[in-house]
Amino acid sequence: MVLALYRTDDLHEHREALCEWLKANNAAPHTVALRWISVEDDGSQRSIRFHTFRTTATGSRLIDPDDPSQAWTEERTAPLRTDLPKVGHGL
């Protein structure tokens, strides 16, 4: 079950708080694509679902083979260790 969904506009508006929250949940902020992030509960564990950039061995972002105008991402999840603090409108 999705408990919260944070969309692109909210993520950009509250980027600093979001980066600290991702770090606290063991996710590297610089690898997370700010498309959307959800907090979910599967009945036994709460987790964060997000997209990360696919990169080369040297850390350069790869181009999406299905859409050359975008970076290539893949969906990931991480256990939710700490909730996102309320920072105002949207989050």
Side-chain angles (χ1 to χ4, degrees):
M1 169 189 346
V2 175
L3 302 175
L5 179 63
Y6 305 107
R7 299 181 191 278
T8 303
D9 290 345
D10 294 329
L11 299 175
H12 285 289
E13 183 178 345
H14 301 286
R15 184 172 178 76
E16 186 173 322
L18 174 70
C19 287
E20 291 304 314
W21 175 67
L22 287 168
K23 287 184 218 175
N25 284 286
N26 207 28
H30 67 279
T31 67
V32 176
L34 296 182
R35 294 182 179 170
W36 57 265
I37 295 175
S38 64
V39 175
E40 303 177 6
D41 187 336
D42 68 5
S44 62
Q45 180 177 334
R46 293 188 320 158
S47 60
I48 304 168
R49 184 174 305 275
F50 53 93
H51 281 87
T52 60
F53 294 109
R54 296 195 62 179
T55 60
T56 66
T58 61
S60 297
R61 293 180 185 168
L62 294 170
I63 296 172
D64 187 333
D66 295 325
D67 183 353
S69 68
Q70 294 191 52
W72 196 2
T73 62
E74 60 188 356
E75 194 171 292
R76 295 264 175 97
T77 60
L80 181 69
R81 297 174 185 212
T82 182
D83 290 320
L84 180 64
K86 298 290 182 191
V87 293
H89 181 275
L91 293 180

